[in-house]
Amino acid sequence: MSLSINKYHPRPSLRPYIKFYYLIRTDDTGDIQLDNHPQGDVDLIFTLDGEAEFKPGKSSATPLTDMFVVAQQNQSFQFSFKPNTRLLGITFQAPHFGEFFKLPMPELANTGVSIEPEYGFELKDVVNQFQALELEEDLIFILEEYLTKKLERSPLGPNLSANLLPLIQEHNGVLSVGQLEQMAGYSTRTLQRKFQAELGISPKSLLQIVRFNALLAQLKQGSIDSWSRIVYDYGYFDQAHFIKDFKRYTSKTPTNFLQSNTTLSDFFLNS
């Protein structure tokens, strides 16, 4: 079975809040299952055609509804696609998703859920317009019009995790919560409370996810000389802790991961 993913960048006014949009298509030759790893982002996915399922970690699979959220994950997860499926996705800058949709981020962590009960009425016109469109650019335009108007009606306020995310990324996540506290000028208690409310995960979890993505990007580039060097550069206590983290985020050892189909992981890692 063949799967294609196309990426689209948001208009300038939305770039502080949206990382990118994407359209996934499958052909008619059979089912496919693909693993993905946590990126520290939140996705809103619209099922345009066909069927797909989301499976977080060892939990049961959940069918993707017309409007489906993949919230913060701190373990590997899997998508299953039926033939002739089309999905339109938005990858939000994670700190801002909860502000856009006023959903309880701590309750959504490590899940995938339908938002139709809360936002079905509001998004109904958007979804109805999707059905009449084929051109990918037209789909993105309708989505951006909706998001822009939503932002104009309810401007987003101050967001601590959004302010600190560039600092965390600058250090590739190789920081302790204590170091982040000192650099940011906030107490650990404040960081914990704000990150949980805004992201649904703790500062420590986000630091670990950012670190793993930086590490994985270097690994995929083939620029790592030895595993012991990785352990040292990325602040792991020892190689056993590194392997444990790797298996938690990908469900595979590094060697097995590099030999597997990493289509989804590669797309989101490089985006």
Side-chain angles (χ1 to χ4, degrees):
M1 181 179 188
S2 174
L3 178 144
S4 64
I5 315 179
N6 293 329
K7 179 174 68 174
Y8 303 88
H9 295 290
R11 60 181 61 166
S13 62
L14 291 172
R15 285 176 191 166
Y17 318 106
I18 309 293
K19 288 184 73 173
F20 55 86
Y21 312 100
Y22 55 92
L23 189 74
I24 297 177
R25 293 177 183 265
T26 63
D27 63 17
D28 59 359
T29 55
D31 296 0
I32 188 171
Q33 293 182 337
L34 291 173
D35 293 330
N36 203 351
H37 69 277
Q39 290 94 31
D41 302 316
V42 177
D43 286 32
L44 174 58
I45 302 173
F46 298 89
T47 302
L48 305 177
D49 297 298
E51 300 175 43
E53 289 185 334
F54 170 75
K55 184 178 182 298
K58 297 180 180 179
S59 301
S60 300
T62 302
L64 267 67
T65 56
D66 287 347
M67 312 163 206
F68 194 85
V69 173
V70 175
Q72 286 282 1
Q73 308 292 313
N74 61 17
Q75 57 190 333
S76 66
F77 54 99
Q78 184 182 81
F79 285 96
S80 301
F81 305 93
K82 291 290 186 182
N84 298 314
T85 290
R86 281 195 313 154
L87 304 178
L88 176 62
I90 315 171
T91 296
F92 283 81
Q93 302 282 3
H96 297 297
F97 176 82
E99 293 181 292
F100 262 96
F101 290 99
K102 312 302 180 189
L103 292 171
M105 301 310 294
E107 296 177 22
L108 298 182
N110 292 309
T111 69
V113 297
S114 169
I115 63 166
E116 289 177 50
E118 294 87 356
Y119 286 91
F121 180 79
E122 180 179 322
L123 287 165
K124 184 177 180 181
D125 287 343
V126 175
V127 173
N128 286 342
Q129 290 180 75
F130 286 163
Q131 304 309 316
L133 300 173
E134 282 295 329
L135 291 178
E136 298 177 5
E137 292 79 5
D138 292 340
L139 293 168
I140 301 301
F141 177 79
I142 294 299
L143 199 52
E144 293 215 294
E145 286 294 288
Y146 163 75
L147 292 169
T148 298
K149 290 175 182 176
K150 189 172 181 64
L151 188 61
E152 289 171 350
R153 290 195 305 267
S154 303
L156 306 189
N159 188 305
L160 179 58
S161 58
N163 292 339
L164 294 182
L165 187 57
L167 176 65
I168 293 171
Q169 292 170 331
E170 179 185 345
H171 288 82
N172 288 331
V174 186
L175 293 170
S176 68
V177 176
Q179 289 172 316
L180 184 62
E181 175 187 357
Q182 292 178 345
M183 297 170 77
Y186 292 92
S187 68
T188 298
R189 183 177 180 180
T190 297
L191 293 176
Q192 293 281 1
R193 179 171 53 84
K194 288 289 190 178
F195 274 59
Q196 286 287 353
E198 296 167 359
L199 298 174
I201 57 175
S202 67
K204 181 178 179 180
S205 291
L206 182 64
L207 287 165
Q208 291 173 335
I209 290 169
V210 171
R211 175 177 67 171
F212 180 76
N213 277 268
L215 177 161
L216 191 59
Q218 188 177 349
L219 180 64
K220 296 292 287 188
Q221 291 167 4
S223 57
I224 291 175
D225 298 327
S226 68
W227 297 123
S228 58
R229 186 69 188 179
I230 267 196
V231 170
Y232 176 78
D233 287 346
Y234 288 92
Y236 285 97
F237 181 75
D238 55 26
Q239 191 164 328
H241 282 77
F242 159 65
I243 297 294
K244 182 180 179 181
D245 254 18
F246 203 100
K247 292 178 73 173
R248 173 158 62 104
Y249 291 138
T250 69
S251 75
K252 298 176 178 66
T253 65
T255 300
N256 290 339
F257 177 81
L258 293 173
Q259 294 171 347
S260 64
N261 185 341
T262 58
T263 301
L264 279 186
S265 278
D266 291 348
F267 174 80
F268 287 97
L269 182 67
N270 296 322
S271 295

